[in-house]
């Protein structure tokens, strides 16, 4: 009968065992395979990274809620989509003017000292809009209240600034961080409108705005409380304004054109779904586009793309332009809303890599000490493009057709490609290394 070896609890030392004429050491400890952590796990394992990320995502989610909530409130009580659209457009224009100044103050005095008071002012503006709508105040008060929300800090830009501060010199990790932040943007703009619509429809029209205010203030409190990861303030930055830095104006022009893609796509998709008799499905269709971008952003961040960001940008924009022809073909040839949704999911996969590459270039070309301002200028360019794209898409839908409207995003993407292919001053002069 062969000798038996007593079992020992896992974790104990190996036991000496005699088998036939051999003396062996039997190790009964459980075998575990240790896999190296992935790039995102390594990123979030940095001291303080998870804490500021949770606060940042909480504060960023309302960015996808406020516009829809305002439209629902105003249109529901005043029975005027024109008034609702004009009020939200005013807030967009005010943000484009005020946001770069807010970002400049953040760079000079620190995120905690500026971002939290600015968020509180924006929250008061949203609450003022809520009260004006609920109590039937004159129309002009709606414009004034919503314009006050322009002080909302660029939370995505501040998070990217923190990653740049924590990952100095680590190009691969910074690429992963930028991809993560772009995926977070897409996720927030995908879930925000859905959450706002659910709250406003389930409870009362002002519920979306009210919850958005709570999330903004709570998230900003959590975010600014993480002082260990905050980049140092630059009271007197020696560098010139980001707008005058080599290569930055050209990038802002690319952002303007890409914003036209986003603005036109939203308006045209709503109009197309309405023409098919399924207007309520437009939100789900647009959410699929954001989902495709979010997934592609996470995948892009896990990879290590070859070449410099300046070399990759034209290829990314070219891919976006090519994929945007799919919704145009689906709408023109079939008129099927489900097929359109599938093509938007595929087309969205080019958005995140393009935006990640663009924001990486903005970071590298922005002078030291003015990163928040440079990132916010890029966002301002996107906002301006969204406004122009919305107007162009709406005009095309009204005067031609909803199907023809899908030609506007393709045209805007082609313009972005042309701008990306133009020679840029300083692109290869050491600012776009790696």
């Amino acid at each position: 009968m062969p000798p038996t070896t007593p079992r020992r609890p896992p974790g104990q030392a190996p036991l000496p065992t005699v088998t036939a004429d051999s003396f062996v050491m039997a190790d009964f400890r459980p075998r575990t395979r240790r896999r190296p952590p992935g790039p995102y796990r390594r990123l979030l394992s940095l001291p303080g990274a998870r804490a500021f990320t949770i606060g940042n995502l909480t504060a960023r989610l309302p960015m996808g809620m406020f516009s829809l909530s305002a439209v629902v409130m105003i249109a529901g009580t005043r029975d005027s989509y024109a008034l609702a659209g004009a009020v939200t457009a005013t807030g967009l224009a005010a943000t484009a003017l005020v946001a770069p100044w807010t970002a400049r103050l953040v760079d000079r005095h620190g995120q905690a000292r500026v971002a939290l008071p600015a968020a509180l002012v924006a929250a008061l503006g949203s609450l003022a809009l809520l009260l004006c709508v609920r109590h039937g105040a004159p129309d002009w008060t709606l414009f004034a209240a919503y314009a006050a929300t322009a002080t909302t800090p660029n939370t995505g830009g501040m998070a990217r600034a923190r990653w740049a501060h924590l990952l100095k010199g680590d190009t691969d990790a910074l690429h992963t961080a930028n991809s993560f932040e772009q995926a977070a943007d897409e996720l927030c703009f995908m879930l925000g409108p859905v959450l706002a619509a659910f709250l406003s429809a389930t409870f009362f029209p002002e519920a979306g705005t009210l919850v958005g205010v709570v999330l903004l203030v709570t998230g900003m409190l959590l975010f600014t409380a993480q002082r260990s990861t905050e980049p140092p303030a630059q009271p007197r930055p020696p560098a010139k304004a980001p707008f005058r830095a080599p290569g930055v104006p050209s990038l802002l022009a690319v952002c303007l054109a890409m914003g036209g893609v986003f603005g036109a796509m939203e308006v045209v998709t709503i109009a197309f779904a309405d023409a098919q008799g399924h207007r309520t499905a437009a939100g789900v269709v647009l959410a699929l586009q954001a989902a495709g971008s979010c997934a592609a952003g996470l995948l892009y961040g896990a990879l290590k793309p070859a070449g410099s960001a300046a070399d990759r940008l034209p290829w990314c924009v070219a891919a976006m332009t090519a994929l945007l022809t799919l919704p145009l073909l689906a709408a023109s040839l079939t008129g099927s809303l489900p097929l359109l949704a599938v093509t938007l999911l595929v087309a969205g996969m080019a958005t995140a890599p393009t935006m990640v590459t663009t924001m990486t270039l903005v970071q590298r070309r922005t002078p030291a000490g003015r990163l928040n301002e440079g990132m916010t200028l890029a966002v301002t360019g996107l906002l301006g493009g969204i406004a122009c794209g919305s107007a162009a898409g709406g005009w095309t839908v009204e005067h031609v057709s909803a199907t023809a409207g899908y030609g506007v995003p393709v045209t805007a993407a082609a313009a972005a490609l042309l701008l990306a292919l133009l020679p840029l001053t300083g692109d290869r002069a050491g600012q776009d290394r790696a």
Side-chain angles (χ1 to χ4, degrees), residues 79-140:
D79 195 25
S80 174
Y81 278 98
L83 176 62
V87 170
T88 54
T90 299
L92 190 67
T95 300
L97 293 174
V98 174
W101 295 96
T102 304
R104 180 177 296 182
L105 291 175
V106 168
D107 283 328
R108 291 187 176 182
H109 303 287
Q111 295 181 357
R113 293 183 60 186
V114 176
L116 183 57
L120 292 175
V121 172
L124 291 175
S126 293
L127 291 176
L129 176 67
L130 186 153
L131 294 175
C132 289
V133 171
R134 191 170 184 83
H135 295 287
D139 289 350
W140 67 266

Side-chain angles (χ1 to χ4, degrees), residues 139-431:
D139 289 350
W140 67 266
T141 62
L142 308 185
F143 290 91
Y146 204 61
T149 64
T151 61
T152 305
N154 178 12
T155 51
M158 291 191 296
R160 289 177 173 91
R162 292 202 178 207
W163 289 122
H165 173 63
L166 292 174
L167 301 171
K168 290 179 180 177
D170 193 339
T171 305
D172 291 338
L174 189 58
H175 167 74
T176 302
N178 286 334
S179 300
F180 173 78
E181 293 300 328
Q182 186 60 41
D185 280 339
E186 300 295 344
L187 183 65
C188 291
F189 279 100
M190 178 176 64
L191 298 180
V194 176
L195 178 59
F198 170 77
L199 292 171
S200 298
T202 304
F203 300 101
F204 48 91
E206 298 85 1
T209 298
L210 191 60
V211 172
V213 168
V214 173
L215 289 174
L216 174 63
V217 175
T218 303
M220 197 57 65
L221 284 170
L222 292 173
F223 179 75
T224 54
Q226 312 307 316
R227 304 301 292 270
S228 63
T229 55
E230 182 179 351
Q234 300 286 339
R236 294 180 180 179
K240 54 188 174 183
F243 186 80
R244 298 180 179 179
V248 171
S250 301
L251 274 178
L252 298 183
V254 173
C255 290
L256 185 69
M258 287 194 296
V261 174
F262 308 143
M265 187 64 74
E266 181 175 0
V267 172
V268 173
T269 300
I270 293 173
F272 184 84
D274 193 18
Q276 300 294 315
H278 300 285
R279 184 172 186 176
T280 55
V284 177
V285 174
L286 290 170
L288 285 175
Q289 183 187 12
S293 180
C294 179
L298 292 175
L299 178 61
Y300 189 64
L303 302 175
K304 295 181 180 179
S308 69
D311 291 333
R312 293 196 304 269
L313 181 60
W315 290 102
C316 290
V317 181
M320 183 173 70
T321 305
L323 291 179
L324 282 173
T325 61
L326 297 179
L328 177 60
L329 292 173
S332 303
L333 300 179
T334 67
S336 169
L337 188 61
L339 181 59
L340 175 70
V342 174
T343 59
L344 285 175
L345 175 67
V346 175
M349 293 180 180
T351 301
T354 304
M355 290 302 304
V356 169
T357 306
T358 303
M359 290 301 182
T360 299
L361 284 171
V362 171
Q363 284 183 344
R364 293 175 182 174
R365 294 173 183 173
T366 298
R370 309 192 74 158
L371 185 56
N372 282 294
E373 185 180 352
M375 300 292 289
T376 304
L377 282 173
V379 174
T380 300
L382 289 170
L383 291 176
I386 289 172
C388 295
S390 299
W395 186 93
T396 305
V397 166
E398 184 174 346
H399 292 86
V400 186
S401 67
T403 299
Y406 282 104
V408 177
V410 177
T411 304
L417 177 59
L418 178 62
L419 292 168
L421 289 172
L422 292 176
L424 305 178
T425 304
D427 281 358
R428 311 299 191 272
Q431 293 187 346

